[in-house]
Amino acid sequence: MKKLFLISTVTIAFLAGCASNYPSATNSVDSAIANAQAKYQKAHDEMVAWKNTKKVLEKAKKLAMSDPKKAIALANEAAYEAQTALDQSAEFEKTWRAEVPK
Amino acid sequence: MLKKMIKIAAISMISGTILFGASFNAQAEKDRVAFVNYFLKKFENPVANKDKYFPYVPLEELKKDYIYPLKFQDFQDGPLSWYKPSKEQFAEINDFPPYEIPLDDGEALFNKPFANGKTYASCFPNPAIKQNYPYYDTKRDEIVTIGMAVNECRVKNGEKPLKYGKGDLAKVVAYLAYKSRGKKIDIKIPNENAAKAYEAGKKLFYKQRGYLAISCNECHVKSSGKRLRAESLSPALGATTQMPVYRIKWGGLGTLQRRLAGCVKDTGSEKPKMQSKPLKELAYFLTYMSNGMKLFGPDTRK
């Protein structure tokens, strides 16, 4: 009886763990995509986005349901590209005037 | 006394307008003169200036294949202006210019009546207008390109606008360019907003971008006159004189904006949309840099 109780408790605990993990996985896909989307949009509006970022982001959105792990990786890649484009733009903002022939 | 006061006030107003008006393009004019001088110096004597401008080009090649000294108007030939092998190759291609058929199509389209019986001539009674495009329309507070003017003419006459960049629009623009051959580029900066648009275009030209972190300036100013694999990099000076061009790569005609958008994409950036504000500003800046140069469009390019 004790053994049965222990097994039931472990099973319930495991299932509860799974159940609580599932929404958090969904949240992390959504938040990764939302983060990438926001960064991409900023880079796009400033006309500094790289040419593949949108494609990577779209692919992440497509895989969000079927392969959340890959979708997160792609969203993070898109976010990284967009952020690098923004950082690069801020850096070149300081130097481009020196390039103009005097 | 009153007459004298009115006279003084009028003179002050006129001179003020002239001075104020002139100040809008003061920076642009300074930039343009420095830009032109850079290219004239660079191509004055590439052999003597090898260390400064062409450190990686073999001396023999400079002596054998480079055309120099180049004068202001010589830059109208773009990448062909300085490189003998390309110039000879394209002289042969232009015995039967590939742009001839689309140019004839452009003339036919120009003269073909719209549904209302009018033609493009109702908007462009004198088709030799390309030297003034793109211009800053002070009433609309925006840059107007020649492609926009063509499409606005169509809409005014009840027709659908054409797709920008290529096709029939490029053909009509080619006809307008052909009729404008020999006219000197005359871009004006009429007010403060036009000066801002010019500055925005200038920034887009000089600021590095894309995952390759390069700018228009890197290839078409600093590296102009050098080769990128088998291609010769064209000088930005005079780049707009031959537009639209028949590119062998495209297998057809393309407008200045199509070429610029492709160039921006080549840096690893998102391709800007045709007639988008940044692309128009870039065209405005670049065309201003060639002010005073005679037009020679359409032409053929790789």
Side-chain angles (χ1 to χ4, degrees), chain B residues 43 67-68 70 74-83 87 235:
Chain B
F43 290 94
I67 303 164
Y68 62 90
L70 294 184
D74 294 332
F75 287 92
Q76 77 169 24
D77 288 338
L80 315 179
S81 56
W82 58 273
Y83 200 55
K87 195 157 194 164

Side-chain angles (χ1 to χ4, degrees), chain B residues 185-199:
Chain B
I185 295 175
D186 185 18
I187 305 301
K188 292 183 171 68
I189 299 182
N191 64 16
E192 201 180 338
N193 283 352
K196 280 182 189 164
Y198 164 87
E199 281 295 324

Side-chain angles (χ1 to χ4, degrees), chain B residues 3-78:
Chain B
K3 263 188 181 178
K4 206 174 178 183
M5 278 173 71
I6 292 170
K7 206 174 168 184
I8 291 168
I11 289 169
S12 315
M13 274 172 73
I14 291 164
S15 56
T17 308
I18 290 166
L19 283 172
F20 199 51
S23 71
F24 293 127
N25 77 341
Q27 183 58 49
E29 204 43 29
K30 203 174 149 190
D31 291 343
R32 191 190 66 79
V33 170
F35 194 79
V36 170
N37 285 340
Y38 172 87
F39 284 104
L40 290 177
K41 266 187 197 166
K42 186 169 186 172
F43 290 94
E44 185 182 24
N45 190 341
V47 174
N49 295 329
K50 178 181 170 2
D51 292 343
K52 188 174 180 187
Y53 297 117
F54 306 96
Y56 306 112
V57 183
L59 188 63
E60 280 313 302
E61 191 182 355
L62 286 173
K63 285 181 182 168
K64 192 167 125 289
D65 291 335
Y66 279 55
I67 303 164
Y68 62 90
L70 294 184
K71 289 178 187 142
F72 179 65
Q73 191 56 42
D74 294 332
F75 287 92
Q76 77 169 24
D77 288 338

Side-chain angles (χ1 to χ4, degrees), chain A residues 69-92:
Chain A
K69 204 176 162 189
K70 197 167 182 190
I72 291 172
L74 288 169
N76 288 342
E77 187 185 327
Y80 174 78
E81 277 192 12
Q83 187 57 52
T84 311
L86 288 164
D87 294 346
Q88 176 194 46
S89 173
E91 198 55 37
F92 291 139

